[in-house]
């Protein structure tokens, strides 16, 4: 059995940055395992621009951003295997993978999970009617068009107004399709304003807020959908139905961290984020197994994926070298008042070198609120924000000095306040 | 002219009044950045165009491309249409010109991904 210090599962932006972080921290014996025939992960299908403003201070497309990290990994001579699918990880950090050469077994000192996320399966949304050909998850359609060169239809309706759905509305328009409408259940869009303006408004594509698809029509192939307005309880209002003919329905209804492997390894998962519960080191409930990127929680900006993952790589390296003891306990981090979740779930101040970034999301659109941080019942600080939306991940930084002010704190709470 | 500001998630509705091609009044912007954006968006809206073209002789089927600079918004659909059916031979490197002066915009379309030719070894280094 091959022995490696750190195995990284997934060669997307998270895996690549984690590898660079680990190498920087002095670990040489690393391997990245990637099931596709190329590195870079999902970014290769995100051909639009808007990536890299934080990391590279310029606006890149997804493939360009991926190529820069790929280049760095090659320059650092970090080994990787393509076309290699990881099948199983165990609690004692044995990794089993398969590729053209057969089965591969690796014993690792530390494992970094960087498998990315998946789209919610279409069974997860309830639409009556049959399931004719022509219904795709938006990200799958993005892969068809941008990687495989197959345009799935001519007349399109998009259900869900997350960024991937908006981007695909424009993409299908460029490929000559007519995009009839983007239908959104909520009274607000989950996507960026920029994408609403540049992907819908620019092309006169209507955004139907507080609407949903109530009927799917067609035999073999989709021929149309019925949409209807919904009330405050998100229930369709009778009499508001409208028929739209289309041969393609794209579902942009959300992403969930991919954690089949984590589940099999007995790693504790959060039922809010869908990702592993981690401590300040981004270490999961299984010692020596770390998680980062979309496997940990769904990110909207790849720049934050890179930053977080580089840190995970460094932490794993310190763990391998015995410099990062596993905390027993630590301060638990919880949320309330409109904050849906925060990562990490606990913090051992002893492992915070100078500061730690806490990422969180809110559950609704909030205007003019304070983001407040409490150590036990004492408010440490609060910042006023003009707007917070569920679509944008927020970051909050706690410094070593702040932890030192409250040496006996048992809990930290993040809350929104008027 | 009504503009939705895209410079931050607040998305202010900004009203710009033009007289003889000049901005004489801006209402509704919460900040300076929004005023600047609204002015630009009114006088000369520009967009980046990203798309893909067919790749020949590579393990990849599609080559992603972009306009080297933003182009006038009014030309965006012309550019998208002009790219349908375009084919490019591998190998290609990031930054290679795929179409010069696309639709007379004075802007080139460039590759945004490296694509090796099919004979080149595309397996892992180890
Ligand atoms: C469809 C889609 C569109 C997106 N569009 C945007 C966008 O426009 N802008 C933006 O900033 N962000 C976008 N994102 C978010 C984007 O995913 C993240 O910014 C970033 O790509 C996440 O990086 P990652 O490495 O965590 O995941 P990924 O990029 O998904 O990489 C995970 C990698 O792990 C590999 N893998 C998974 N399981 C295994 C296994 N068992 N064995 C071996 N390898 C495995 C996968 O093949 C993949 O290469 C999008 C996400 C999706 C899903
Ligand atoms: S005007 Fe200022 S506050 Fe309003 S959306 Fe634009 S950038 Fe944001």
């Amino acid at each position: 059995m091959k022995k490696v210090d750190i195995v990284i599962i997934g060669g997307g932006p998270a895996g690549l940055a984690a590898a660079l972080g680990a190498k920087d921290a002095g670990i040489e014996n690393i391997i990245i395992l990637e099931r596709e025939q190329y590195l870079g992960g999902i970014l290769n299908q995100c051909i639009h621009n808007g990536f890299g403003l934080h990391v590279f201070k310029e606006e890149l497309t997804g493939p360009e951003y991926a190529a820069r990290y790929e280049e760095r990994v090659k320059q650092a001579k970090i080994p990787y295997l393509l076309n290699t699918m990881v099948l199983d990880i165990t609690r004692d950090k044995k990794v089993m993978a398969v590729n053209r050469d057969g089965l591969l077994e690796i014993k690792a000192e530390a494992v970094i999970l960087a498998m990315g996320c998946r789209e919610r399966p279409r069974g997860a949304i309830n639409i009556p009617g049959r399931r004719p050909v022509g219904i795709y998850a938006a990200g799958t359609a993005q892969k068809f068009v941008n990687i495989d060169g197959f345009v799935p239809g001519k007349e399109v309706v998009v259900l869900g107004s997350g960024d991937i759905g908006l981007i695909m509305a424009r993409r299908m328009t460029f490929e000559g399709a007519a995009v009839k409408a983007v239908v959104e259940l909520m009274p607000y869009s989950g996507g960026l304003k920029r994408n609403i303006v540049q992907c819908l408004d620019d092309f006169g594509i209507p955004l139907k807020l507080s609407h949903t698809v109530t009927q799917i029509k067609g035999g073999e192939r989709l021929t149309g959908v019925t949409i209807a307005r919904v009330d405050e309880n998100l229930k369709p209002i009778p009499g508001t139905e409208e028929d739209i003919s289309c041969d393609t329905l794209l579902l942009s209804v959300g992403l969930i961290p991919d954690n089949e492997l984590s589940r099999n390894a007995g790693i504790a998962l959060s039922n809010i984020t869908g990702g592993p519960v981690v401590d300040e080191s981004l270490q999961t409930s299984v010692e020596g197994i770390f998680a980062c990127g979309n496997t940990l929680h769904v990110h909207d900006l790849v720049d934050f994926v890179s930053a977080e993952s580089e840190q995970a790589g460094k932490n794993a390296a310190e763990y391998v070298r015995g410099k990062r003891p596993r905390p027993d306990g630590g301060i638990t981090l919880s949320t309330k008042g409109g904050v849906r979740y925060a990562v990490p779930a606990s913090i051992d101040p002893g492992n915070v070198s100078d500061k730690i970034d806490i990422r969180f999301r809110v559950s609704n659109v909030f205007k003019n609120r304070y983001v407040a941080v409490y150590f036990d019942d004492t408010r440490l600080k609060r910042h006023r924000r003009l707007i917070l939306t569920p679509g944008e991940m927020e970051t909050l930084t706690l410094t070593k000095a702040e932890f030192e002010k409250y040496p006996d704190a048992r809990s930290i709470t993040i809350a929104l306040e008027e | 002219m009504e503009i939705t500001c895209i410079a931050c998630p607040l998305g202010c509705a900004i009203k710009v009044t033009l007289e003889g091609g000049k901005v004489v009044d801006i209402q509704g912007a919460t900040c300076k950045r929004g005023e600047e954006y609204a002015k630009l968006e009114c006088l000369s809206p520009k967009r980046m165009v990203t798309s893909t073209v067919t790749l020949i002789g590579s393990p990849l089927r599609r080559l992603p491309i972009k306009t080297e600079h933003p182009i006038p918004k009014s030309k965006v659909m012309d550019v998208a249409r002009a790219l349908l059916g375009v084919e490019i031979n591998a190998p290609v490197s990031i930054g290679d010109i795929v179409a010069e002066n696309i639709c007379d915009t004075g802007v080139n379309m460039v590759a945004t991904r490296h694509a090796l030719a099919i004979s080149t070894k595309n397996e892992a280094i180890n």
Side-chain angles (χ1 to χ4, degrees), chain A residues 281-313:
Chain A
S281 305
L282 304 176
Q283 186 168 213
T284 67
S285 65
V286 175
E287 184 172 339
I289 301 187
F290 296 76
C292 55
N294 281 356
T295 304
L296 178 55
H297 58 130
V298 175
H299 294 62
D300 31 81
L301 278 180
V302 69
D303 302 67
F304 293 144
V305 170
S306 298
E308 172 186 285
S309 305
E310 192 180 328
Q311 195 57 51

mmCIF file of all heavy atoms in Angstrom, chain A residues 281-313:
data_model
loop_
_atom_site.group_PDB
_atom_site.id
_atom_site.type_symbol
_atom_site.label_atom_id
_atom_site.label_comp_id
_atom_site.label_asym_id
_atom_site.label_seq_id
_atom_site.Cartn_x
_atom_site.Cartn_y
_atom_site.Cartn_z
ATOM 1 N N SER A 281 -9.654 24.458 12.645
ATOM 2 C CA SER A 281 -8.641 24.006 11.689
ATOM 3 C C SER A 281 -9.270 23.469 10.407
ATOM 4 O O SER A 281 -8.569 22.976 9.543
ATOM 5 C CB SER A 281 -7.785 22.899 12.321
ATOM 6 O OG SER A 281 -7.224 23.342 13.530
ATOM 7 N N LEU A 282 -10.582 23.533 10.298
ATOM 8 C CA LEU A 282 -11.357 22.930 9.209
ATOM 9 C C LEU A 282 -11.219 21.413 9.239
ATOM 10 O O LEU A 282 -11.307 20.729 8.222
ATOM 11 C CB LEU A 282 -10.959 23.499 7.835
ATOM 12 C CG LEU A 282 -11.073 25.022 7.714
ATOM 13 C CD1 LEU A 282 -10.572 25.506 6.361
ATOM 14 C CD2 LEU A 282 -12.508 25.484 7.926
ATOM 15 N N GLN A 283 -10.972 20.901 10.443
ATOM 16 C CA GLN A 283 -10.875 19.464 10.657
ATOM 17 C C GLN A 283 -12.265 18.924 10.993
ATOM 18 O O GLN A 283 -13.005 19.528 11.760
ATOM 19 C CB GLN A 283 -9.902 19.198 11.803
ATOM 20 C CG GLN A 283 -9.604 17.741 12.045
ATOM 21 C CD GLN A 283 -8.423 17.561 12.986
ATOM 22 O OE1 GLN A 283 -7.676 16.626 12.857
ATOM 23 N NE2 GLN A 283 -8.256 18.448 13.931
ATOM 24 N N THR A 284 -12.582 17.774 10.406
ATOM 25 C CA THR A 284 -13.906 17.198 10.617
ATOM 26 C C THR A 284 -13.949 16.438 11.938
ATOM 27 O O THR A 284 -12.979 16.448 12.689
ATOM 28 C CB THR A 284 -14.252 16.212 9.482
ATOM 29 O OG1 THR A 284 -13.367 15.093 9.580
ATOM 30 C CG2 THR A 284 -14.095 16.865 8.110
ATOM 31 N N SER A 285 -15.057 15.733 12.171
ATOM 32 C CA SER A 285 -15.177 14.975 13.419
ATOM 33 C C SER A 285 -14.222 13.781 13.442
ATOM 34 O O SER A 285 -14.020 13.170 14.480
ATOM 35 C CB SER A 285 -16.617 14.494 13.601
ATOM 36 O OG SER A 285 -16.953 13.579 12.576
ATOM 37 N N VAL A 286 -13.641 13.438 12.300
ATOM 38 C CA VAL A 286 -12.643 12.366 12.275
ATOM 39 C C VAL A 286 -11.258 13.005 12.238
ATOM 40 O O VAL A 286 -10.942 13.793 11.345
ATOM 41 C CB VAL A 286 -12.838 11.441 11.051
ATOM 42 C CG1 VAL A 286 -11.720 10.400 10.982
ATOM 43 C CG2 VAL A 286 -14.195 10.755 11.111
ATOM 44 N N GLU A 287 -10.449 12.674 13.220
ATOM 45 C CA GLU A 287 -9.128 13.279 13.347
ATOM 46 C C GLU A 287 -8.302 13.084 12.079
ATOM 47 O O GLU A 287 -8.232 11.988 11.530
ATOM 48 C CB GLU A 287 -8.395 12.665 14.551
ATOM 49 C CG GLU A 287 -7.058 13.321 14.773
ATOM 50 C CD GLU A 287 -6.390 12.863 16.065
ATOM 51 O OE1 GLU A 287 -7.087 12.362 16.967
ATOM 52 O OE2 GLU A 287 -5.167 13.026 16.156
ATOM 53 N N GLY A 288 -7.694 14.168 11.616
ATOM 54 C CA GLY A 288 -6.810 14.079 10.455
ATOM 55 C C GLY A 288 -7.526 14.189 9.121
ATOM 56 O O GLY A 288 -6.897 14.174 8.072
ATOM 57 N N ILE A 289 -8.846 14.293 9.134
ATOM 58 C CA ILE A 289 -9.584 14.512 7.884
ATOM 59 C C ILE A 289 -10.125 15.937 7.885
ATOM 60 O O ILE A 289 -10.853 16.336 8.798
ATOM 61 C CB ILE A 289 -10.723 13.488 7.679
ATOM 62 C CG1 ILE A 289 -10.132 12.066 7.663
ATOM 63 C CG2 ILE A 289 -11.462 13.773 6.370
ATOM 64 C CD1 ILE A 289 -11.123 10.976 7.291
ATOM 65 N N PHE A 290 -9.720 16.712 6.882
ATOM 66 C CA PHE A 290 -10.066 18.129 6.773
ATOM 67 C C PHE A 290 -11.026 18.318 5.591
ATOM 68 O O PHE A 290 -11.104 17.462 4.709
ATOM 69 C CB PHE A 290 -8.792 18.948 6.556
ATOM 70 C CG PHE A 290 -7.828 18.879 7.714
ATOM 71 C CD1 PHE A 290 -7.034 17.741 7.913
ATOM 72 C CD2 PHE A 290 -7.726 19.924 8.621
ATOM 73 C CE1 PHE A 290 -6.155 17.658 8.995
ATOM 74 C CE2 PHE A 290 -6.854 19.858 9.700
ATOM 75 C CZ PHE A 290 -6.070 18.724 9.892
ATOM 76 N N ALA A 291 -11.738 19.437 5.566
ATOM 77 C CA ALA A 291 -12.654 19.700 4.459
ATOM 78 C C ALA A 291 -12.586 21.168 4.056
ATOM 79 O O ALA A 291 -12.373 22.040 4.898
ATOM 80 C CB ALA A 291 -14.088 19.338 4.849
ATOM 81 N N CYS A 292 -12.767 21.441 2.763
ATOM 82 C CA CYS A 292 -12.734 22.830 2.286
ATOM 83 C C CYS A 292 -13.474 22.968 0.964
ATOM 84 O O CYS A 292 -13.770 21.983 0.310
ATOM 85 C CB CYS A 292 -11.288 23.295 2.126
ATOM 86 S SG CYS A 292 -10.303 22.247 1.063
ATOM 87 N N GLY A 293 -13.768 24.202 0.591
ATOM 88 C CA GLY A 293 -14.463 24.470 -0.672
ATOM 89 C C GLY A 293 -15.923 24.077 -0.585
ATOM 90 O O GLY A 293 -16.526 24.064 0.491
ATOM 91 N N ASN A 294 -16.512 23.738 -1.727
ATOM 92 C CA ASN A 294 -17.946 23.461 -1.773
ATOM 93 C C ASN A 294 -18.350 22.165 -1.082
ATOM 94 O O ASN A 294 -19.520 21.948 -0.818
ATOM 95 C CB ASN A 294 -18.436 23.448 -3.224
ATOM 96 C CG ASN A 294 -18.625 24.856 -3.761
ATOM 97 O OD1 ASN A 294 -18.460 25.828 -3.027
ATOM 98 N ND2 ASN A 294 -18.968 24.975 -5.017
ATOM 99 N N THR A 295 -17.376 21.302 -0.775
ATOM 100 C CA THR A 295 -17.687 20.110 0.016
ATOM 101 C C THR A 295 -18.058 20.510 1.437
ATOM 102 O O THR A 295 -18.868 19.862 2.087
ATOM 103 C CB THR A 295 -16.441 19.195 0.129
ATOM 104 O OG1 THR A 295 -16.011 18.892 -1.178
ATOM 105 C CG2 THR A 295 -16.732 17.936 0.888
ATOM 106 N N LEU A 296 -17.444 21.599 1.899
ATOM 107 C CA LEU A 296 -17.660 22.045 3.278
ATOM 108 C C LEU A 296 -18.961 22.845 3.386
ATOM 109 O O LEU A 296 -19.796 22.582 4.227
ATOM 110 C CB LEU A 296 -16.456 22.878 3.733
ATOM 111 C CG LEU A 296 -16.515 23.486 5.137
ATOM 112 C CD1 LEU A 296 -16.777 22.427 6.188
ATOM 113 C CD2 LEU A 296 -15.217 24.229 5.432
ATOM 114 N N HIS A 297 -19.118 23.841 2.535
ATOM 115 C CA HIS A 297 -20.385 24.565 2.423
ATOM 116 C C HIS A 297 -20.356 25.269 1.074
ATOM 117 O O HIS A 297 -19.276 25.574 0.556
ATOM 118 C CB HIS A 297 -20.623 25.548 3.582
ATOM 119 C CG HIS A 297 -19.566 26.589 3.761
ATOM 120 N ND1 HIS A 297 -19.839 27.926 3.885
ATOM 121 C CD2 HIS A 297 -18.212 26.507 3.811
ATOM 122 C CE1 HIS A 297 -18.714 28.604 4.026
ATOM 123 N NE2 HIS A 297 -17.716 27.764 3.993
ATOM 124 N N VAL A 298 -21.527 25.508 0.490
ATOM 125 C CA VAL A 298 -21.561 26.042 -0.871
ATOM 126 C C VAL A 298 -21.116 27.504 -0.879
ATOM 127 O O VAL A 298 -21.640 28.328 -0.147
ATOM 128 C CB VAL A 298 -22.963 25.885 -1.484
ATOM 129 C CG1 VAL A 298 -23.019 26.543 -2.846
ATOM 130 C CG2 VAL A 298 -23.326 24.414 -1.594
ATOM 131 N N HIS A 299 -20.112 27.791 -1.693
ATOM 132 C CA HIS A 299 -19.571 29.149 -1.827
ATOM 133 C C HIS A 299 -20.131 29.787 -3.092
ATOM 134 O O HIS A 299 -20.409 29.091 -4.061
ATOM 135 C CB HIS A 299 -18.046 29.095 -1.973
ATOM 136 C CG HIS A 299 -17.320 28.597 -0.770
ATOM 137 N ND1 HIS A 299 -17.487 27.333 -0.268
ATOM 138 C CD2 HIS A 299 -16.401 29.198 0.024
ATOM 139 C CE1 HIS A 299 -16.702 27.180 0.793
ATOM 140 N NE2 HIS A 299 -16.036 28.300 0.990
ATOM 141 N N ASP A 300 -20.238 31.125 -3.099
ATOM 142 C CA ASP A 300 -20.599 31.748 -4.364
ATOM 143 C C ASP A 300 -19.395 32.339 -5.073
ATOM 144 O O ASP A 300 -19.429 32.548 -6.267
ATOM 145 C CB ASP A 300 -21.703 32.809 -4.200
ATOM 146 C CG ASP A 300 -21.646 33.484 -2.849
ATOM 147 O OD1 ASP A 300 -20.840 34.400 -2.684
ATOM 148 O OD2 ASP A 300 -22.398 33.057 -1.966
ATOM 149 N N LEU A 301 -18.320 32.610 -4.343
ATOM 150 C CA LEU A 301 -17.129 33.170 -4.977
ATOM 151 C C LEU A 301 -15.955 32.227 -4.825
ATOM 152 O O LEU A 301 -15.595 31.824 -3.721
ATOM 153 C CB LEU A 301 -16.772 34.515 -4.331
ATOM 154 C CG LEU A 301 -17.539 35.738 -4.829
ATOM 155 C CD1 LEU A 301 -17.068 36.976 -4.094
ATOM 156 C CD2 LEU A 301 -17.391 35.910 -6.327
ATOM 157 N N VAL A 302 -15.351 31.907 -5.967
ATOM 158 C CA VAL A 302 -14.245 30.964 -5.949
ATOM 159 C C VAL A 302 -13.053 31.534 -5.178
ATOM 160 O O VAL A 302 -12.285 30.794 -4.574
ATOM 161 C CB VAL A 302 -13.863 30.563 -7.382
ATOM 162 C CG1 VAL A 302 -13.248 31.715 -8.135
ATOM 163 C CG2 VAL A 302 -12.934 29.370 -7.373
ATOM 164 N N ASP A 303 -12.918 32.859 -5.171
ATOM 165 C CA ASP A 303 -11.815 33.484 -4.437
ATOM 166 C C ASP A 303 -11.799 33.054 -2.973
ATOM 167 O O ASP A 303 -10.744 32.809 -2.390
ATOM 168 C CB ASP A 303 -11.921 35.008 -4.494
ATOM 169 C CG ASP A 303 -11.919 35.519 -5.916
ATOM 170 O OD1 ASP A 303 -12.900 35.243 -6.630
ATOM 171 O OD2 ASP A 303 -10.957 36.191 -6.298
ATOM 172 N N PHE A 304 -12.996 32.960 -2.386
ATOM 173 C CA PHE A 304 -13.079 32.542 -0.985
ATOM 174 C C PHE A 304 -12.787 31.051 -0.842
ATOM 175 O O PHE A 304 -12.262 30.609 0.171
ATOM 176 C CB PHE A 304 -14.456 32.870 -0.398
ATOM 177 C CG PHE A 304 -14.707 34.344 -0.285
ATOM 178 C CD1 PHE A 304 -15.967 34.869 -0.493
ATOM 179 C CD2 PHE A 304 -13.669 35.218 0.032
ATOM 180 C CE1 PHE A 304 -16.195 36.239 -0.387
ATOM 181 C CE2 PHE A 304 -13.883 36.584 0.135
ATOM 182 C CZ PHE A 304 -15.154 37.099 -0.073
ATOM 183 N N VAL A 305 -13.139 30.288 -1.869
ATOM 184 C CA VAL A 305 -12.809 28.860 -1.872
ATOM 185 C C VAL A 305 -11.293 28.708 -1.802
ATOM 186 O O VAL A 305 -10.759 27.946 -0.997
ATOM 187 C CB VAL A 305 -13.348 28.157 -3.144
ATOM 188 C CG1 VAL A 305 -12.801 26.738 -3.260
ATOM 189 C CG2 VAL A 305 -14.868 28.154 -3.147
ATOM 190 N N SER A 306 -10.590 29.474 -2.623
ATOM 191 C CA SER A 306 -9.128 29.365 -2.662
ATOM 192 C C SER A 306 -8.519 29.737 -1.314
ATOM 193 O O SER A 306 -7.645 29.032 -0.812
ATOM 194 C CB SER A 306 -8.558 30.277 -3.754
ATOM 195 O OG SER A 306 -9.040 29.889 -5.012
ATOM 196 N N ALA A 307 -8.980 30.838 -0.725
ATOM 197 C CA ALA A 307 -8.411 31.305 0.541
ATOM 198 C C ALA A 307 -8.643 30.264 1.645
ATOM 199 O O ALA A 307 -7.728 29.896 2.378
ATOM 200 C CB ALA A 307 -9.037 32.635 0.930
ATOM 201 N N GLU A 308 -9.890 29.789 1.730
ATOM 202 C CA GLU A 308 -10.238 28.822 2.766
ATOM 203 C C GLU A 308 -9.435 27.527 2.594
ATOM 204 O O GLU A 308 -8.933 26.943 3.558
ATOM 205 C CB GLU A 308 -11.741 28.535 2.662
ATOM 206 C CG GLU A 308 -12.265 27.416 3.513
ATOM 207 C CD GLU A 308 -13.736 27.161 3.176
ATOM 208 O OE1 GLU A 308 -14.585 27.972 3.603
ATOM 209 O OE2 GLU A 308 -14.028 26.184 2.469
ATOM 210 N N SER A 309 -9.303 27.091 1.347
ATOM 211 C CA SER A 309 -8.670 25.800 1.081
ATOM 212 C C SER A 309 -7.172 25.848 1.323
ATOM 213 O O SER A 309 -6.574 24.874 1.784
ATOM 214 C CB SER A 309 -8.965 25.365 -0.354
ATOM 215 O OG SER A 309 -10.362 25.369 -0.551
ATOM 216 N N GLU A 310 -6.546 26.980 1.000
ATOM 217 C CA GLU A 310 -5.120 27.120 1.262
ATOM 218 C C GLU A 310 -4.881 26.967 2.769
ATOM 219 O O GLU A 310 -3.951 26.303 3.206
ATOM 220 C CB GLU A 310 -4.656 28.499 0.789
ATOM 221 C CG GLU A 310 -3.160 28.617 0.755
ATOM 222 C CD GLU A 310 -2.708 29.981 0.274
ATOM 223 O OE1 GLU A 310 -3.412 30.588 -0.565
ATOM 224 O OE2 GLU A 310 -1.665 30.431 0.759
ATOM 225 N N GLN A 311 -5.772 27.574 3.552
ATOM 226 C CA GLN A 311 -5.686 27.464 4.997
ATOM 227 C C GLN A 311 -5.866 26.007 5.444
ATOM 228 O O GLN A 311 -5.114 25.517 6.294
ATOM 229 C CB GLN A 311 -6.758 28.361 5.648
ATOM 230 C CG GLN A 311 -6.548 28.608 7.118
ATOM 231 C CD GLN A 311 -5.181 29.227 7.427
ATOM 232 O OE1 GLN A 311 -4.781 30.218 6.834
ATOM 233 N NE2 GLN A 311 -4.445 28.611 8.361
ATOM 234 N N ALA A 312 -6.819 25.302 4.832
ATOM 235 C CA ALA A 312 -7.027 23.886 5.170
ATOM 236 C C ALA A 312 -5.755 23.093 4.890
ATOM 237 O O ALA A 312 -5.363 22.220 5.674
ATOM 238 C CB ALA A 312 -8.203 23.316 4.378
ATOM 239 N N GLY A 313 -5.091 23.407 3.771
ATOM 240 C CA GLY A 313 -3.845 22.720 3.409
ATOM 241 C C GLY A 313 -2.761 22.966 4.444
ATOM 242 O O GLY A 313 -2.059 22.044 4.874
#
